[in-house]
Amino acid sequence: MSTPRRPRDPGDRRPQRPARPGDPSRGRVGRPQTPRPRAGDPDRPAPRRTAGTSPPRRRPARPASRPQPIRLADPRKRLRLAGMALVVVLSVFAGRLVQLQLLDSDALAAEAGANQYMPVVLSAERGSITASDGTVLATTVDAYDITADPTLFTPEATHIPDAPEQAAALLAPLLDVTREKVAGLLHLNAKNPRSRYALLAARQTPETKNRISELRTRLAKQADTKACAAQRRLLAKPEDQGGRSAVDTACTNPLAGVVYAPSKRRVYPAGDLAGNLVGFVNAEGTGTGGLELQYQKDLAGVDGRSTYASVGGRIVPSSGGGRQAPVPGADLRLTVDRDIQWAAQRAITDQVANAGAEKGYVVVQDVKTGQVLAMATSPGLDPNKLASARPEQLGNAAVQDAYEPGSTAKLMTMAAVLDTGTATWDTHVTVPNTLQRSDRVFHDDIDHETWYLTLAGVLAKSSNIGTIEAAEHLGRNQAEANRVLGGYLTKFGIGQPSGLGFPGETRGILAKPEDWKGSQQYTIPFGQGLAVNALQATSVFSTIANGGLRVAPSLVMGSTGADGRYTPAPAGAQTRVVTEATAKTLTEMLESVVTDEQGTGTKAQIPGYRVAGKTGTANRVDPKTGRYSGYTASFIGFAPADQPRVTVSCVIQDPVNGHFGGQLCGPVFKQVMEFALKTLRVAPSGSEAPNLPVDWKP
């Protein structure tokens, strides 16, 4: 049942909207709905008007909103453009890939490795040098380089107008340098206005570093107070500064820019003990003198290598790299006896001073092994104070000086005469006051009447004329005598390397016998016209003490490698120079030099021990002018003469207070030999000296 539609009010002027098909609210039930004609439609009937009413008001027609169709671009064109762009990009990538993987792969890999992996040298620790008893003569310890950042000493950084000067005043006394030098290093200069590194002092001791560190810490605490903090806040506000340009001095730390860099330092705990022998290293820690130079390769070891990846200066953890550990240098153990070396240095230093001499040296040698027990030089050298050493102190004069030995060389002439059977110890020799040979008249040290001496007496009284006469009989003529004597001098090691291989060592001067001309062939037998070093001269006497068998001198007893294993040094080469019988006779002749009242070496006597030795007094060649000037005084001997153990030589150059070898070097020999015999616990002699006759009555 349908509800009847309410009749339309005549006053309702709203046009009735036609019902839409299927819309039940737009028409009557059961009546078909016809669409209402639109305005302007010819089929639309004119509106009906009721009498007395105005025509109905029309509502403006709304424009119909129809969706506009969207026109899309041709998709094929877009695909073609995208494809072309993709091909270009892939082509660039492919070309770059070919370049990286094929063309530049090796160079780029090397460059990448060089840029990414940073090489680091791991310095090997330098080996130590010790005396025979293990006393350390040279070793390496931790040290610190005192550095600074100059940019932290500017007025802007410190608020101190004279920060470098204030820091220099504090550091200079601790570093033992001048204030001006330190301040100059802390100032930025025009050549390097942005320098952030200045080396103030290299290889300082931990004690020095600790003193600087404590001072810096104290200044930092002093500056870190509430009052100082308030001053700095005031300074940070320009409107409140009131013309202030810096904080108070008590509120500053001028050492804030000081930095410590770990380093290594070569030190010599024994000071000047064997300093000329041990030598020294340069600023880079490389051996530059003495044994430090000679055994540089063994002492230095082998540096290690380490590589690590670095990005922006920072190490990348777990990024590969590699490490080759350094190999420490070997430790050298010398043949030098610490106590004997000390006694030798003290004795020669005192006598050089007493004689007003230029220099002097003492050598102590074991006659059986050839090992050098001491080698002392005056003036000496303390390698710890290298900067203050004079040039003449830097070497080892005992092996670097070549000097004419004088009468100590007569031992070799007598050895040749005895060993060839030319004469015996008791052969009679007539010695006049003068002797004319070649273009020269020869004399002895003193004027005398004609002497009637045995060959032993010629050696005891150190007669130049008697030695010339004995040497002349070595051959049928002078040329042959020269060849015979020259051969013995060579076997004794004259003109030859001693065997040490010490840096700067001289081999001496010995001309070939065929070149001995004029008076030289007569001066060489008594020790002028040839040159030796002190070790060579010592070795001559050690050869006689060792029964005529020469053992090459040595300074190194052995070495301990990085693996801790000790390796003894090879024994010195041995050379038979004269027979044992000749050596025994020469020993007894040398005893007469010391024991006989006419001998020149009486000051070398040692109670309880038989001593064999020889004095030497030679004209000295001035190395600056090449002319004779002054004297070379010497004494060389060994003891106990009946069972020789030690040889001691003393040489003093250019003395002023006296010049005879027996007078100046005899006491030095006695002092050092007595000490050495006691140190080595050598028993006194068990027999008396033979006291060979030195003269005869015509």
Side-chain angles (χ1 to χ4, degrees), residues 317-634:
S318 304
S319 58
R323 186 179 189 275
Q324 180 182 356
V327 180
D331 296 332
L332 294 184
R333 174 169 290 189
L334 305 185
T335 61
V336 173
D337 184 284
R338 176 195 60 179
D339 297 330
I340 298 176
Q341 177 71 29
W342 172 83
Q345 283 191 205
R346 185 183 65 174
I348 191 62
T349 300
D350 292 344
Q351 191 66 316
V352 166
N354 295 335
E358 177 186 333
K359 56 186 169 183
Y361 14 89
V362 168
V363 177
V364 182
Q365 186 179 24
D366 187 308
V367 302
K368 298 296 183 182
T369 64
Q371 294 179 347
V372 176
L373 303 181
M375 187 178 288
T377 301
S378 177
L381 170 69
D382 185 348
N384 295 311
K385 303 176 181 178
L386 199 60
S388 60
R390 300 189 303 274
E392 59 270 20
Q393 294 179 267
L394 300 180
N396 183 11
V399 294
Q400 293 175 337
D401 278 4
Y403 65 93
E404 293 190 352
S407 296
T408 57
K410 292 173 182 175
L411 176 64
M412 294 182 285
T413 302
M414 294 301 171
V417 170
L418 292 174
D419 204 54
T420 58
T422 302
T424 61
W425 70 266
D426 58 352
T427 298
H428 292 181
V429 182
T430 301
V431 182
N433 186 43
T434 61
L435 183 67
Q436 176 74 44
R437 289 294 185 268
S438 185
D439 57 349
R440 180 175 172 184
V441 177
F442 292 94
H443 303 265
D444 286 323
D445 286 341
I446 58 174
D447 288 333
H448 59 80
E449 299 293 334
T450 299
W451 284 340
Y452 301 97
L453 305 175
T454 62
L455 191 62
V458 170
L459 189 63
K461 294 177 72 70
S462 195
S463 171
N464 296 340
I465 295 175
T467 303
I468 294 174
E469 292 177 324
E472 288 178 325
H473 292 83
L474 287 172
R476 290 170 297 180
N477 53 52
Q478 189 61 45
E480 184 178 346
N482 292 345
R483 287 194 298 271
V484 173
L485 179 58
Y488 276 92
L489 295 178
T490 300
K491 287 195 296 183
F492 272 110
I494 307 305
Q496 308 296 319
S498 69
L500 288 184
F502 196 87
E505 178 183 353
T506 178
R507 60 191 301 164
I509 301 173
L510 179 63
K512 296 180 180 179
E514 55 268 26
D515 295 331
W516 297 0
K517 303 298 182 182
S519 61
Q520 184 184 23
Q521 57 192 329
Y522 302 104
T523 62
I524 286 179
F526 62 80
Q528 300 264 194
L530 74 163
V532 299
N533 64 46
L535 181 59
Q536 289 175 327
T538 307
S539 179
V540 169
F541 282 73
S542 292
T543 298
I544 300 303
N546 194 35
L549 185 66
R550 181 181 186 272
V551 181
S554 60
L555 267 172
V556 177
M557 183 179 294
S559 62
T560 302
D563 57 359
R565 300 175 63 181
Y566 176 77
T567 303
Q574 298 183 357
T575 305
R576 170 62 64 181
V577 180
V578 297
T579 65
E580 291 188 24
T582 298
K584 182 179 180 181
T585 301
L586 286 169
T587 298
E588 294 176 349
M589 293 170 63
L590 289 173
E591 286 188 82
S592 297
V593 175
V594 178
T595 59
D596 194 276
E597 60 181 11
Q598 299 185 58
T600 58
T602 55
K603 289 184 178 295
Q605 295 177 6
I606 300 176
Y609 293 90
R610 291 169 57 180
V611 176
K614 183 69 185 76
T615 59
T617 304
N619 292 320
R620 173 179 175 271
V621 177
D622 189 337
K624 297 179 180 178
T625 63
R627 298 177 178 274
Y628 284 113
S629 175
Y631 294 91
T632 297
S634 61

Side-chain angles (χ1 to χ4, degrees), residues 637-678:
F638 52 86
D642 49 339
Q643 292 184 343
R645 176 67 189 280
V646 180
T647 300
V648 174
S649 69
C650 165
V651 180
I652 294 179
Q653 297 287 1
D654 198 19
V656 176
N657 303 321
H659 65 275
F660 290 110
Q663 173 190 7
L664 295 178
C665 277
V668 174
F669 168 89
K670 177 180 180 179
Q671 180 179 345
V672 176
M673 179 61 82
E674 278 186 319
F675 188 92
L677 293 174
K678 292 179 180 178

Side-chain angles (χ1 to χ4, degrees), residues 126 266 268 280-289 292-293 296-297 300:
R126 191 173 182 85
R266 194 67 165 172
Y268 302 88
F280 48 88
V281 299
N282 61 14
E284 288 72 35
T286 303
T288 311
E292 292 274 30
L293 172 59
Q296 162 63 22
K297 184 177 180 180

Side-chain angles (χ1 to χ4, degrees), residues 14 131 218 232 274 325 459 647 693:
R14 293 179 297 175
R218 186 166 65 251
R232 282 189 285 272
L459 189 63
T647 300

